[in-house]
């Protein structure tokens, strides 16, 4: 089965910091990779699809990169509203879509 | 603005059944694939099932295959998830999500979720 492994599982950061989250797939997923932001009690929000395409309305401080098995989400200057849990997701149809374990970004 | 509202969650005993609904509005529902995704307490997101716009193509996570059925009524702009033979590990918040519509399976709009608790 395909596995999506995120690291770190949590990170403490300050407003203005650059934050980098990595996601590794256990097999090649090409660029079928999405990133989501999830806050408690809220609906998840799509940030990035196709590994690097910014979803409409998402601030440009969110950047996605990578292909194949290794991917990165970078928040270039962390803002107060960015404290949340971030998930990568393999988005191909077969094997079925699979989420990573999540990375919680909290206040240092 | 796209609007998705889930309903039908609640407390059910192990082995029981429940049907979730997701009412969609402000977009042409029949044009979109739709997904169910869940989050167990203290856990991450787990994709559950998807269905195409016409309701003719479905796929499921291995963890629910044979027990859950995804369906839709395009005349009512409503997505469903019939859950049978429920287990404690099915306890989760269940979200419906609209597919982005590009190559791949991305949820671009999500509901607020409905809580399903499986317990005796």
């Amino acid at each position: 089965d395909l596995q999506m492994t995120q690291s770190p599982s949590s990170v403490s950061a300050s407003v203005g910091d650059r934050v980098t989250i990595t996601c590794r797939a256990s097999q090649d997923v090409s660029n079928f990779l999405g990133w989501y932001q999830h806050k408690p009690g809220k609906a998840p929000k799509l940030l990035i699809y196709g590994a690097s395409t910014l979803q409409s309305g998402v601030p440009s401080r969110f950047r996605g990169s990578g292909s194949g098995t290794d991917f990165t989400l970078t928040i270039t200057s962390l803002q107060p509203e960015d404290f949340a849990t971030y998930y990568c997701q393999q988005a191909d149809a077969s094997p079925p879509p699979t989420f990573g374990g999540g990375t919680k970004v909290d206040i240092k | 603005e796209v609007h998705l509202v889930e309903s039908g969650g609640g407390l059910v005993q192990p082995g029981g059944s429940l049907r979730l609904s997701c009412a969609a509005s402000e977009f042409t529902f029949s044009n979109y694939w739709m997904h169910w995704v869940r989050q167990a307490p203290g856990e991450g997101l787990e994709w559950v099932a998807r269905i195409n716009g016409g309701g003719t193509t479905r796929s499921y996570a291995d963890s629910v295959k044979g027990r859950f059925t995804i369906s839709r009524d395009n005349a009512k702009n409503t997505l469903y998830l019939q859950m049978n033979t429920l287990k404690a590990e099915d306890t989760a918040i269940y979200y419906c999500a609209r597919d982005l519509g590009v190559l791949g399976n991305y949820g671009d709009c999500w509901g607020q979720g409905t809580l399903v608790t499986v317990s005796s």
Side-chain angles (χ1 to χ4, degrees):
Chain A
D1 290 355
L2 184 146
Q3 303 290 330
M4 305 298 292
T5 304
Q6 282 183 239
S7 61
S9 57
S10 65
V11 57
S12 295
S14 301
V15 172
D17 283 354
R18 183 184 186 94
V19 173
T20 299
I21 299 168
T22 64
C23 177
R24 173 163 288 177
S26 60
Q27 63 190 69
D28 189 336
V29 299
S30 184
N31 69 336
F32 289 105
L33 194 286
W35 289 97
Y36 297 82
Q37 178 191 69
H38 194 199
K39 297 179 180 180
K42 301 289 188 180
K45 178 182 178 181
L46 178 66
L47 303 173
I48 301 283
Y49 64 93
S52 60
T53 302
L54 197 66
Q55 169 66 344
S56 176
V58 174
S60 59
R61 63 181 179 273
F62 292 94
R63 297 181 184 173
S65 64
S67 67
T69 60
D70 292 304
F71 303 88
T72 300
L73 174 70
T74 300
I75 309 171
T76 57
S77 179
L78 197 67
Q79 297 301 300
E81 60 269 30
D82 299 338
F83 293 98
T85 300
Y86 293 84
Y87 294 92
C88 64
Q89 180 217 347
Q90 180 284 122
D92 203 353
S94 181
T98 308
F99 289 91
T103 297
K104 184 176 182 180
V105 178
D106 60 20
I107 301 171
K108 182 184 287 185
Chain B
E1 181 181 345
V2 171
H3 206 46
L4 296 169
V5 179
E6 302 92 340
S7 60
L11 175 64
V12 61
Q13 292 187 342
S17 298
L18 210 56
R19 189 177 82 157
L20 306 183
S21 300
C22 169
S25 59
E26 304 304 324
F27 67 100
T28 305
F29 181 66
S30 60
N31 286 353
Y32 288 85
W33 286 77
M34 296 293 295
H35 302 268
W36 286 101
V37 175
R38 68 185 181 182
Q39 184 178 35
E43 301 294 324
L45 299 173
E46 179 188 14
W47 177 84
V48 173
R50 68 175 191 153
I51 187 169
N52 71 336
T56 56
T57 300
R58 305 173 174 90
S59 58
Y60 301 91
D62 287 345
S63 57
V64 306
K65 199 173 295 182
R67 300 188 299 120
F68 289 12
T69 302
I70 188 172
S71 63
R72 64 193 298 159
D73 185 335
N74 286 341
K76 295 183 178 179
N77 289 342
T78 302
L79 176 73
Y80 301 102
L81 186 67
Q82 177 67 43
M83 304 185 296
N84 298 331
T85 319
L86 282 160
K87 307 175 182 180
E89 51 264 41
D90 297 317
T91 295
I93 298 172
Y94 285 74
Y95 299 96
C96 63
R98 187 185 77 168
D99 191 88
L100 178 61
V102 301
L103 193 60
N105 295 275
Y106 305 99
D108 73 332
C109 298
W110 298 60
Q112 293 295 314
T114 187
L115 177 62
V116 172
T117 303
V118 184
S119 175
S120 55

